[in-house]
Amino acid sequence: MLRAAGASSASAAGVASAAEAQERSASTPEQTASAPEPRPDNAARSADTRNRGPASARASAGRVAEDASAAPRRRDTRTEEAANAAETSRARRHSSRVGEAFPSLVGWTSLSTLLPGIGLLRTRFRPLGFILLGGFVLTFLVALVYVLIKGPIRAFGTVVSSPTMLTFLAIILAIIGVIWVLAIVISHLGLRKGHRYAPWQNKMAGVLVVSLALIVGIPLGVGSVYARVQGDTVSSLFGDSTGHAKSAEDLWADKPYINVFLMGRDNGDDREGTRPDTMLVASIDTKTGNTALISVPRNLAFPIFPEGSELAKSWPDGFRPTGQSSVDLINSVWQWGEENKDDIGNTHGLEPGMFTTMQAVEGSLGLNLDYWAAVDMAGFEDVVDAIGGVKIDVERPIPMGGGKSMSGVANDVYGWVDPGPQTLRGKDALWYVRSREGSDNYDRMCRQQRMIKTTLDQVDPRELATAYPKLANSATKNIATSIPQNEVPAFIELAISMQKGDVTTVQINNDVTPTYDPDFDVLHKWILDEVKGASEGEETPKPTNTAAPDEKKDTAEEEPTEEAPAEGAAAEETPAGEEGGEPTETTKPGEPNAEGKCYPKGFKPGDDFPGYPGPGAGDEG
């Protein structure tokens, strides 16, 4: 019994020791991990310890404890192996080899320039990347749907004619530019993390980021500035909106054509008073864009006014302040209106001179003027310079200066536009269309129409876009128009149609009706035929009324008494032909020859021009 009790006590002590060893093993895994592995014969030895004494029992308890700690050690080993595998995988992603990840860095950074936010998807800023990329795609889809619904031209016209939308667009473009550039930089820094690069790769990466930021930032910045400039230009240049923006089809649904009065005037410091320098009426077919460009001669005497108007009541027999056909001209109406404001009635917000001049053009041509635009000569120079000049074959020497002032003092010729093919810049182009020295009104009108048609054919949108801020600034100072803001989109559509259509030049000269004593019934009928023919794309009808020889002689004698007299030209009409040879065709005064060139009366191509010092004289002023 004593032995049994002793054995029982020893067994209990062994169990207690085993439990204590197990606790120690659980609390100190490092010690357990360093313990020796159990040998395979432990199980057999444990069976023998049951038949041995207390010492053997204690040894057996120790081996039991070792068996109990084996399972946690195996679990710790598996955890350590998993950690090592994860570290190996991470090492493969973030290679320790210098420069190995450079192609990936360049590719994803560049892709962030095309799709903002996509580079962030591979960094810890993934949620922000999804937001930016989603916003970009959503904005693109909304813009695409807007353009598809309204059409490209109408959508563009609606935006560029609304100061509110342009201001909003300027702000949005600036914000988008800043966010986009930041997304590129953050994407690049995030993609670099965990990699090592060679010094030359670091420099190339810096150049890449700066270049991509400029590629994105410059267009958006320029777009923001242009949007702001356009908004200010629309607000300053065009009248207040008269309703919602309309397309050309809706705005002019019941009008087969519209008539736009175009006037060029010279308000230079050397001018006394104001007289229209150039007057034209563009009668435009609203469906096809075909246009009749009608030049109104400055020397059209005794102009009449629309029936029922206040001016028609004041001048029932036409504008005759003096009764002299050499003084009571259509280009004198402006000055009279400015000096007799109380006699012209309601001007509907227009300058008195502009109102009376438009009334005279309406009554004399028999056309209702729907819109008007006035351009100062400085504005014309800016337009020509903005498109890089106009390529034209100058038919003869063109004097700069000359003529007489309103007080009758002769002006000096200070320079020349040389003949021959060349590109005329602003000042030379201006003198090409306005020079009157050694010429006549019809030749001058012919050159004006030729310049307008040539300029329209050569307009380059890229050059206009480059010079747009300067051009817009000039427009607000030198151009005035009655076109309201909400009708600008329709005019943009019409302008595109005009480029595709035909422009027919129409001259009012003595072969239509004597300009010193016009038959306005004949003139009205002829103008309507011209407008209809141009609208239908037909050949321009020939004049239906021919002045008698003595009438032409009287007209030639009277013209030099105008503000800009004709000097140095023969009194009798001489047919013009091919330059440098004998005349081969007969042309009417003010009409271009087969080459599209314009010549004054009495001048044959190849003749010496009075006063011309020879090629290379150029501008001496």
Side-chain angles (χ1 to χ4, degrees), residues 283-286 288-292 497-498 500-503 534-537:
S283 184
I284 311 168
D285 189 300
T286 57
T288 65
N290 292 339
T291 303
S497 298
M498 289 175 63
K500 298 177 181 177
D502 297 324
V503 178
S535 174
E536 296 175 353

Side-chain angles (χ1 to χ4, degrees), residues 290-609:
N290 292 339
T291 303
L293 192 61
I294 308 168
S295 288
V296 181
R298 298 164 59 257
N299 65 330
L300 185 66
F302 309 134
I304 62 175
F305 301 95
E307 293 183 8
S309 66
E310 291 294 326
L311 288 170
K313 296 177 182 177
S314 300
W315 304 103
D317 298 324
F319 181 70
R320 296 174 181 265
T322 68
Q324 301 179 38
S325 61
S326 61
V327 177
D328 302 338
L329 307 172
I330 195 168
N331 75 322
S332 301
V333 172
W334 179 290
Q335 195 69 22
W336 179 88
E338 293 289 336
E339 295 173 353
N340 299 273
K341 300 178 182 179
D342 296 335
D343 298 334
I344 60 180
N346 184 10
T347 63
H348 304 283
L350 294 175
E351 296 176 74
M354 173 64 80
F355 176 76
T356 52
T357 299
M358 290 182 62
Q359 289 273 291
V361 172
E362 282 192 352
S364 299
L365 271 62
L367 296 174
N368 293 323
L369 301 180
D370 303 291
Y371 304 91
W372 61 268
V375 181
D376 289 342
M377 291 308 172
F380 176 80
E381 288 189 52
D382 289 340
V383 171
V384 174
D385 285 335
I387 64 175
V390 179
K391 295 179 181 179
I392 192 170
D393 187 358
V394 181
E395 48 270 270
R396 63 173 179 84
I398 304 293
M400 293 182 177
K404 292 184 179 180
S405 65
M406 294 180 66
S407 59
V409 178
N411 299 316
D412 294 332
V413 174
Y414 64 85
W416 296 82
V417 179
D418 294 324
Q422 56 186 298
T423 299
L424 298 183
R425 305 293 295 186
K427 187 175 183 179
D428 289 346
L430 175 59
W431 276 108
Y432 178 84
V433 300
R434 70 178 297 194
S435 178
R436 293 184 290 267
E437 177 73 18
S439 181
D440 53 55
N441 281 321
Y442 307 112
D443 169 56
R444 185 168 177 265
M445 289 188 295
C446 180
R447 282 183 275 119
Q448 291 169 356
Q449 292 181 333
R450 184 185 180 202
M451 176 60 72
I452 291 175
K453 293 177 67 175
T454 303
T455 303
L456 288 175
D457 291 339
Q458 296 179 14
V459 168
D460 187 342
R462 293 172 297 180
E463 293 177 345
L464 283 179
T466 303
Y468 181 72
K470 176 183 176 181
L471 192 59
N473 181 59
S474 174
T476 57
K477 297 177 181 179
N478 299 306
I479 298 177
T481 182
S482 64
I483 300 173
Q485 293 177 16
N486 62 297
E487 295 186 16
V488 172
F491 272 92
I492 292 176
E493 294 181 48
L494 190 62
I496 294 175
S497 298
M498 289 175 63
Q499 284 190 324
K500 298 177 181 177
D502 297 324
V503 178
T504 302
T505 57
V506 178
Q507 290 280 2
I508 301 174
N509 54 39
N510 288 319
D511 291 309
V512 178
T513 186
T515 55
Y516 65 90
D517 187 17
D519 184 332
F520 288 106
D521 290 334
V522 171
L523 180 59
H524 290 175
K525 182 178 183 304
W526 185 79
I527 288 290
L528 292 178
D529 289 341
E530 291 279 349
V531 170
K532 182 179 179 181
S535 174
E536 296 175 353
E538 299 175 357
E539 184 178 355
T540 303
K542 297 299 180 183
T544 56
N545 185 63
T546 302
D550 58 333
E551 294 175 339
K552 293 181 183 179
K553 183 174 183 296
D554 292 340
T555 304
E557 293 173 352
E558 292 171 347
E559 284 179 2
T561 63
E562 297 180 44
E563 171 194 359
E567 299 178 1
E572 296 182 1
E573 179 181 348
T574 303
E578 298 295 329
E579 187 171 352
E582 292 298 324
T584 57
E585 62 176 14
T586 300
T587 58
K588 301 298 182 181
E591 292 185 4
N593 64 5
E595 293 181 335
K597 297 179 180 180
C598 308
Y599 297 96
K601 293 179 180 179
F603 184 83
K604 295 180 181 180
D607 285 353
D608 293 333
F609 195 87

Side-chain angles (χ1 to χ4, degrees), residues 1-7:
M1 293 182 61
L2 291 175
R3 285 196 301 269

